[in-house]
């Protein structure tokens, strides 16, 4: 069986790390892929006026899965519609520290399960009178239940004992109240153990005691911030993969952006993108191969060549070759 | 001149740390205070049905300034209206690490200037149909301008060179777009140097490189999370004071809550509350006395008795006495 993968490198270092991930996937003999490339981002917008051309949307919609690199100024115009195109409801963001790498908190292993369809990301905004603007945040029972079901299943399936439901229901009583009640009910129904945490207090505790957390289920914007916070704990965005999971389709992307400051130099860290490809393997049912890619990345991070962001002077290509060697 | 200070200890350790701060203020010979106590919080709600009785509101409204301790379950019902009663538009939250104390990031000295009147805190929520809820976030040009003016003045007046405007305008284009544009215009008008930062990326950078930041001007909820994140960097909420500043009135409170787990034992760390009292002194024009209280707290943190949260076994009273001794 051949899997059709849409590949959207985008801008900046997206153009460098995406081919690296494709190379790694191609090196996996047990799985056949057919890669089809699509354009998106600042460059294609400058050319065509559109950051996300219809052809690229169609590609992602029809593929078995999509690999996305990064976009520059147009990041929101590209990634938010792409997350919709693939029908993703869960944004899965593991933040792990690796032995041997400098980290603010070297004992971190947390997976954020971020709701991926609503909250302030609905984009309902208006200027209701001169100088007075509103943004309507939407929280539904359906989406809250779906993300909680996903989060509790993920925790169980991946051996995490601690589940935390993040919220700010003391202020957003109706919306986050619904999120909290719905997600808690899912935990009760499953007889699962879980905690709930106000997201401000959680931000503090994550910084001080990340080892106390496993899976964190969060509303959309809270997940955006908390997962970046955790990136800071483990040594930066260069290591964080993510998966946007839908019923029948999915998109995989590093948490980092297009990094215009280092783009074009061939020294971008491909780890986050390769780890995103490992999540793609898991998603298609190749858990063993996904694990193999993760182990290979880990062993390269531990004792292989390192890109400048990790204090080394290796190139993207050096690291990629080392990962493939380890496979 | 005698200053009338409303004192609202509230619940839990609020009952222990608030008297400590009052003792410290009483020890300052140069200033005359008249302290009037008001009730608020879980206990008074259990008795009277109201977490914030009208008499307490009136007390805070009429006083020259208010000292508030903490409230338990009713925290939001107490502190949100109190912030309105005193007409506060700026929530000032300094997060500093102290030499000699364990901190995740020992080189942190950041002041969050949090907008204190709008955003999701307007409380405009509804269930628009079964299982579908909304929260209307409000951002106005007036409030954004006011907080930015305050933030830039604060930075200048307190010797901070780095000013950062936090926002999420790539997603909330209209509301945070207005916040960002308005705050940036204030910076331009003043010929001040400043940066802008997406609040997710900022969360990561604050964790990794807090020393790069000075004053951070933020929308209400972002300020809530980012300041708690910074509390984690400097060793916890026990050290963070805050000021809610209005045109003619103000309220001072520790960032921590009522800590029911240690309440009643007499071992709560009074530092955050005493540092809040120092901000009260600044606010009334007694900068010299405010500085003296801060120095006293610092020197006790450095080499005086410590409460259990900082690894010591001193009581609230021991620490308070030591601070007064240093004055
Ligand atoms: C680029 C932006 C729209 C996006 C988001 O807010 O989701 C990014 O921050 C992310 O976390 O993937
Ligand atoms: C208690 C709660 C309403 C409050 C807030 O969200 O402002 C608290 O978290 C704070 O930061 O003072």
């Amino acid at each position: 069986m051949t899997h059709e993968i849409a590949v959207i490198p985008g801008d900046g270092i997206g153009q460098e790390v995406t081919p690296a991930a494709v190379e790694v996937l191609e090196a996996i003999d047990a799985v056949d892929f057919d890669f089809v490339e699509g354009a998106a981002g600042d460059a294609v917008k400058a050319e065509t006026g559109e950051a996300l051309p219809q052809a690229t949307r169609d590609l992602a919609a029809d593929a078995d899965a999509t690999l996305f690199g990064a976009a520059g100024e147009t990041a929101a115009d590209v990634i938010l519609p792409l997350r919709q195109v693939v029908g993703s409801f869960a944004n899965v963001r593991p933040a792990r520290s690796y032995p041997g790498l400098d980290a603010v908190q070297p004992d971190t292993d947390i997976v954020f399960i971020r709701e991926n369809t609503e909250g302030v990301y609905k984009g309902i905004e208006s200027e209701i009178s001169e100088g007075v603007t509103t943004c309507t945040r939407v929280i539904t029972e359906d989406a809250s239940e779906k993300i909680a079901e996903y989060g509790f299943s993920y925790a169980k399936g991946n051996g995490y004992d601690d589940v935390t439901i993040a919220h700010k229901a003391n202020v957003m009583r109706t919306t986050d109240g619904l999120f909290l009640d719905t997600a808690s009910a899912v935990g009760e129904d499953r007889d699962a153990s879980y905690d709930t945490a106000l997201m401000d207090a959680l931000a503090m505790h994550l910084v001080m005691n990340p080892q106390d957390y496993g899976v964190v289920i969060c509303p959309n914007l809270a997940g955006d911030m908390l997962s970046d916070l955790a990136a800071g704990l483990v040594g930066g965005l260069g290591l964080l993969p993510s998966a946007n999971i839908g019923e029948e389709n999915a998109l995989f992307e590093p948490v980092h952006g297009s990094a215009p400051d280092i783009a074009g130099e061939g020294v971008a860290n491909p780890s986050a993108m390769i780890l995103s490809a490992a999540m793609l393997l898991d998603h298609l049912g190749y858990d063993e191969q996904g694990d193999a890619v993760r182990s290979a990345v880990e062993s390269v991070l531990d004792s292989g060549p390192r890109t400048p962001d990790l204090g080394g002077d290796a190139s993207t290509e050096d690291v990629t070759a080392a990962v493939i060697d380890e496979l």
Side-chain angles (χ1 to χ4, degrees), chain A:
Chain A
M1 181 180 176
T2 300
H3 301 281
E4 185 170 308
I5 308 297
V7 178
I8 308 173
D11 299 313
I13 64 167
Q15 291 287 342
E16 301 162 40
V17 297
T18 314
V22 169
E23 268 182 69
V24 171
L25 290 176
E26 278 174 334
I28 293 173
D29 292 333
V31 195
D32 279 335
F33 292 109
D34 189 8
F35 296 103
V36 199
E37 198 166 313
D42 297 0
V44 65
K45 182 170 181 186
E47 252 174 61
T48 69
E50 275 189 305
L52 185 64
Q54 188 61 42
T56 306
R57 283 174 200 252
D58 294 344
L59 202 70
D62 297 340
D64 295 319
T66 295
L67 271 183
F68 170 65
E73 293 296 316
T74 55
D77 301 315
V78 173
I79 191 57
L80 300 183
L82 273 180
R83 287 176 187 159
Q84 282 183 347
V85 163
V86 303
S88 68
F89 59 89
N91 191 323
V92 181
R93 303 191 153 192
R96 290 173 61 189
S97 40
Y98 293 92
L101 286 187
D102 248 10
V104 173
Q105 289 287 19
D107 191 16
T108 302
D109 181 358
I110 304 173
V111 183
F112 294 90
I113 306 288
R114 169 182 173 191
E115 202 289 321
N116 216 20
T117 68
E118 54 185 33
V120 302
Y121 285 79
K122 278 283 180 196
I124 310 172
E125 290 196 297
S126 59
E127 176 164 18
I128 57 174
S129 81
E130 170 120 22
V132 180
T133 61
T134 59
C135 172
T136 302
R137 177 176 193 266
V138 178
I139 299 286
T140 66
E141 187 177 348
D142 285 353
S144 303
E145 188 173 314
K146 209 157 167 179
I147 195 67
E149 292 283 5
Y150 189 87
F152 279 104
S153 295
Y154 185 97
K156 201 170 170 192
N158 292 274
Y160 287 94
D161 293 331
D162 297 303
V163 176
T164 306
I165 300 166
H167 68 94
K168 183 79 187 176
N170 58 344
V171 171
M172 295 181 281
R173 295 175 184 198
T174 305
T175 50
D176 268 19
L178 179 61
F179 184 85
L180 173 62
D181 290 347
T182 307
S184 300
V186 170
E188 303 297 337
D189 281 351
R190 292 174 166 242
D191 240 333
S193 85
Y194 66 92
D195 269 320
T196 67
L198 283 166
M199 64 193 202
D200 47 335
L202 181 59
M204 179 184 80
H205 289 299
L206 285 172
V207 169
M208 298 181 75
N209 301 305
Q211 69 284 354
D212 292 350
Y213 296 89
V215 163
V216 181
I217 301 172
C218 9
N220 207 340
L221 186 63
D224 182 52
M225 286 195 67
L226 294 172
S227 59
D228 267 36
L229 176 165
L233 296 175
V234 303
L237 289 175
L239 301 171
L240 266 72
S242 78
N244 298 274
I245 303 288
E247 280 334 330
E248 315 204 318
N249 200 336
L251 179 148
F252 302 85
E253 50 164 339
V255 177
H256 65 66
S258 65
D261 49 323
I262 59 160
E265 297 175 17
V267 296
N269 185 348
S271 303
M273 188 79 216
I274 296 173
L275 291 168
S276 301
M279 294 181 88
L280 180 150
L281 286 165
D282 297 341
H283 178 71
L284 295 177
Y286 304 105
D287 296 57
E288 205 184 301
Q289 285 76 10
D291 285 343
V293 171
R294 271 182 293 272
S295 301
V297 170
E298 255 175 70
S299 101
V300 172
L301 284 174
D302 185 47
S303 51
R306 288 183 185 176
T307 44
D309 58 310
L310 300 179
D313 59 2
S315 67
T316 307
E317 199 34 67
D318 295 336
V319 174
T320 309
V323 169
I324 292 172
D325 262 4
E326 288 286 335
L327 277 177

